[in-house]
Amino acid sequence: NSVLLLLWADDSNRIQSFDGSQGGLQGFTHVLFHIISRSGDIQPAFRRCLVDLGVTPLSSFHDANANRKLPSMMEALRQSDVALVSDAGTPGISDPGLELVRAAVESEVSVVSIPGPSAVITALAASGMYAEHFLFLGFPSRRKGERQELLKSVAKLPYTIVLFEAPHRLRRTLSDLQEVLGNRSMAAV
């Protein structure tokens, strides 16, 4: 099975440290780069870093071309691994990477988000859930009644809801989520 890798890179050092510690980007046949430069091109420092590491081909992926590139990237994912690198925060959070992640999740492609500064954002990015607006609840109460009251208080909010849960309480919490929130999309990351 192919993998869609999400990598947040605030500078070329992050790419280099990922490259050295995680096995690198060299094995990826497609590396998409979400950029925010006005020129619409990959920032020169990132381009040099990636070329020095032997990462090619490089391709931009942004608001103006995401719809056009999505079908070809999904075709690429059927055959090989694809990396989406962003210099504008975690891919998939308030950017066109979300549509690529959603399409990958729907096609049962594994999505791996390399941790950035926040576990919540890392999990949300890999989930394929809309992340324009979200509500983080932390760990819900261990007590069923309190846990259900918390869920009832947010049930009608139009946001993606993110929470943490311990592995040994996960089944109970998932059951409460189903009972209180009903037929609402969920992802466990």
Side-chain angles (χ1 to χ4, degrees):
N1 266 351
S2 297
V3 171
L4 172 61
L5 175 78
L6 307 178
L7 177 61
W8 168 73
D10 58 340
D11 62 30
S12 57
N13 290 334
R14 177 126 169 95
I15 292 173
Q16 288 170 327
S17 69
F18 166 76
D19 199 72
S21 66
Q22 305 291 329
L25 292 172
Q26 288 94 347
F28 289 82
T29 56
H30 291 83
V31 177
L32 298 173
F33 206 95
H34 175 243
I35 47 86
I36 58 172
S37 69
R38 291 175 196 236
S39 70
D41 196 13
I42 299 169
Q43 293 179 7
F46 287 101
R47 181 178 292 282
R48 276 191 308 276
C49 172
L50 292 166
V51 169
D52 288 348
L53 292 169
V55 177
T56 58
L58 302 174
S59 179
S60 64
F61 190 80
H62 47 76
D63 291 329
N65 70 10
N67 287 338
R68 180 173 44 86
K69 286 194 172 184
L70 187 60
S72 64
M73 288 303 100
M74 288 308 300
E75 182 60 33
L77 273 168
R78 286 183 191 85
Q79 300 170 22
S80 61
D81 296 338
V82 172
L84 176 58
V85 181
S86 176
D87 68 347
T90 303
I93 304 294
S94 297
D95 75 24
L98 173 63
E99 295 308 318
L100 180 58
V101 172
R102 288 181 63 81
V105 168
E106 289 170 7
S107 298
E108 298 182 356
V109 171
S110 296
V111 178
V112 175
S113 184
I114 300 301
S118 166
V120 171
I121 298 298
T122 299
L124 192 56
S127 74
M129 306 292 288
Y130 284 104
E132 190 71 27
H133 303 283
F134 65 92
L135 178 64
F136 176 58
L137 301 178
F139 280 95
S141 174
R142 292 177 176 166
R143 296 186 178 103
K144 181 175 181 152
E146 290 177 11
R147 189 171 54 245
Q148 287 186 337
E149 281 304 310
L150 172 66
L151 295 174
K152 286 176 188 174
S153 74
V154 301
K156 295 193 182 200
L157 295 177
Y159 311 121
T160 297
I161 298 169
V162 180
L163 56 86
F164 289 149
E165 190 52 281
H168 64 280
R169 291 196 306 265
L170 188 58
R171 287 184 199 266
R172 288 181 288 202
T173 299
L174 287 172
S175 176
D176 287 345
L177 285 165
Q178 177 66 41
E179 182 179 328
V180 175
L181 300 180
N183 191 21
R184 189 167 171 165
S185 296
M186 293 185 204
V189 181

